[in-house]
């Protein structure tokens, strides 16, 4: 509904949906809770959410900044994430670099077509 409203207000807007980065959660006592692929608090995992986002982007002709392109993954997670979800300074820099590249390569070239 929000996307349709945005498109109605500005039919020429380029809308980018951004999938979640890799996440990994632990309890205060250090016990592992789950990650992007396993943690489900009811509505599904983060990957389920990312899949829904991809379907919406495809159905509505929107741009999709994919999970695997964010630059945050299992290999750099501990040095890029503060609390299991939110990016620290290094994580924000990596994410910004990757989304900037995506915008320059995928979105900006198509702005006036």
């Amino acid at each position: 509904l929000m996307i349709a409203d945005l498109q109605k207000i500005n039919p020429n807007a380029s809308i980018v949906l951004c999938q979640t980065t890799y996440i990994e959660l632990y309890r205060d006592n250090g016990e592992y809770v789950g990650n992007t692929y396993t943690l489900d608090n009811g509505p599904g995992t983060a990957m389920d959410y990312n899949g829904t986002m991809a379907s919406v982007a495809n159905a509505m002709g929107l741009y999709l900044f994919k999970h695997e392109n964010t630059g945050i993954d299992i290999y750099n997670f501990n040095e890029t994430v503060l609390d299991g979800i939110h990016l620290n300074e290094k994580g924000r820099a990596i994410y910004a670099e990757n989304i900037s590249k995506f915008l320059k390569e995928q979105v900006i070239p198509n702005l006036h077509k």
Side-chain angles (χ1 to χ4, degrees):
L1 186 57
M2 284 192 322
I3 294 169
D5 288 345
L6 285 170
Q7 289 176 320
K8 185 178 178 182
I9 292 167
N10 187 348
N12 297 321
S14 296
I15 298 173
V16 178
L17 298 184
C18 299
Q19 292 181 329
T20 64
T21 64
Y22 178 78
I23 61 171
E24 201 170 274
L25 294 176
Y26 295 84
R27 299 195 195 292
D28 288 340
N29 66 3
E31 176 188 358
Y32 179 73
V33 177
N35 65 30
T36 301
Y37 304 95
T38 63
L39 184 63
D40 182 349
N41 289 323
T45 66
M47 286 309 287
D48 294 333
Y49 178 76
N50 285 345
T52 299
M53 205 181 291
S55 295
V56 169
N58 186 48
M60 298 186 80
L62 308 175
Y63 292 96
L64 181 66
F65 184 55
K66 295 181 180 180
H67 163 82
E68 60 268 18
N69 296 329
T70 64
I72 310 303
D73 57 32
I74 193 169
Y75 304 106
N76 66 7
F77 175 78
N78 287 328
E79 56 194 55
T80 57
V81 179
L82 289 170
D83 57 3
I85 297 174
H86 301 98
L87 302 175
N88 63 20
E89 187 174 344
K90 181 177 181 176
R92 290 189 303 268
I94 291 169
Y95 188 95
E97 180 180 327
N98 286 312
I99 197 165
S100 293
K101 179 180 176 188
F102 172 81
L103 293 171
K104 288 176 188 174
E105 292 177 358
Q106 302 294 319
V107 179
I108 293 172
N110 295 307
L111 286 179
H112 301 291
K113 288 186 178 181

